[in-house]
Amino acid sequence: MIDWREIDTVLLDMDGTLLDLHFDSHFWLEHLPRRYVELHQLDQASQDALKARIMGEQGTLNWYSLAYWSRELNVDIVALKREVQHLIGLRSDALDFLTWLKQAHPRVVLATNADRASLALKLPLTGLENYLDAIISSEDVGAAKEEQAFWFALQEREPFDPTRTLFIDDNARVLESAREFGIKHLLGIKQPDSQRPEKELQEFIALDRFAQLLPAELPGQRSHI
């Protein structure tokens, strides 16, 4: 699927790509609305109103900002996330893929819309930092990955040749933005959330497992994984 001789840089999304999106789906659509109603002693209809409000910010920096939602909802979002942090986990063979990348030596950069508060929660629980050369958050550059500004800012911080870069993300809008910027090798994720059905990504090849990307063994060669 990928000729690794053509790849110098690997850009990886976090939530839904390296990490199971179930944590985020559960938190934003179930746990937070329920706890918000409990904490502010509101009626059940307020849950639906909050879900609609959250979805209305989709694709913006506000959508990804824990500080924004803490301020807007008058709750401690990080504390509420910690209540369900046991759901944070790597997707299937993500660790095997990261281990292989570390041995293969392309530059590996986490390019995520998650803000620094989210990263501070998830990185210690997953150990992702051990496999990354750099971490760039949309909060760092002031633009979400859905915007061209993100990619220009990323290239300033992490110079890369778009024609020799692989980018993997579960979000079709983000992949479209990366394609517009000129990134040549683009892959999606079929099932970002292990508890939800597979997604259709009509314009992009989507992965079942990262193992699909690994080169076949040469005769007499042992796998690194």
Side-chain angles (χ1 to χ4, degrees):
M1 185 178 289
I2 294 293
D3 183 347
W4 288 99
R5 295 170 296 184
E6 297 182 0
I7 304 298
D8 296 326
T9 304
V10 178
L11 303 176
L12 296 170
D13 173 49
M14 183 172 70
D15 300 315
T17 298
L18 294 177
L19 302 187
D20 190 339
L21 196 61
H22 175 56
F23 167 78
D24 295 279
S25 300
H26 175 76
F27 178 78
W28 292 106
L29 298 179
E30 297 178 44
H31 189 71
L32 174 59
R34 179 176 58 80
R35 295 289 283 121
Y36 172 73
V37 165
E38 291 173 357
L39 290 169
H40 292 299
Q41 299 181 331
L42 302 172
D43 59 29
Q44 189 67 24
S46 299
Q47 282 200 37
D48 295 331
L50 177 55
K51 289 178 187 179
R53 185 176 176 186
I54 291 171
M55 296 305 292
E57 295 286 354
Q58 193 167 10
T60 69
L61 276 182
N62 286 342
W63 162 268
Y64 301 106
S65 172
L66 304 194
Y68 171 82
W69 291 113
S70 292
R71 183 174 63 252
E72 289 293 304
L73 304 181
N74 192 27
V75 297
D76 186 338
I77 294 290
V78 174
L80 294 181
K81 282 198 163 196
R82 291 195 181 280
E83 294 178 353
V84 288
Q85 70 179 22
H86 61 280
L87 297 177
I88 297 171
L90 290 157
R91 288 187 61 254
S92 59
D93 60 346
L95 190 58
D96 285 345
F97 181 50
L98 290 168
T99 300
W100 183 84
L101 286 174
K102 195 165 188 176
Q103 295 168 348
H105 301 301
R107 185 156 180 82
V108 180
V109 178
L110 190 71
T112 179
N113 273 328
D115 67 2
R116 285 289 167 176
S118 290
L119 288 166
L121 174 65
K122 292 176 177 179
L123 293 178
L125 295 173
T126 59
L128 286 178
E129 281 179 294
N130 298 325
Y131 301 90
L132 304 169
D133 295 304
I135 299 172
I136 305 295
S137 162
S138 60
E139 181 182 33
D140 301 336
V141 302
K145 289 188 293 184
E146 289 86 343
E147 305 170 48
Q148 287 298 289
F150 175 89
W151 301 103
F152 284 101
L154 174 63
Q155 194 170 48
E156 284 186 12
R157 291 171 177 244
E158 276 291 323
F160 63 92
D161 178 351
T163 66
R164 296 186 58 83
T165 296
L166 167 64
F167 175 50
I168 308 176
D169 198 292
D170 67 299
N171 185 322
R173 286 180 60 194
V174 169
L175 290 168
E176 289 165 4
S177 181
R179 181 173 60 190
E180 181 181 345
F181 183 73
I183 294 177
K184 181 178 179 181
H185 305 277
L186 299 167
L187 293 170
I189 299 292
K190 278 190 179 179
Q191 192 176 22
D193 183 332
S194 64
Q195 305 303 308
R196 295 187 176 212
E198 293 183 355
K199 296 199 309 182
E200 288 289 332
L201 291 176
Q202 296 180 350
E203 297 185 33
F204 302 96
I205 295 172
L207 300 171
D208 283 315
R209 292 175 57 80
F210 290 112
Q212 295 172 257
L213 299 182
L214 303 185
E217 290 184 59
L218 298 174
Q221 182 184 50
R222 294 182 62 190
S223 171
H224 291 297
I225 296 176

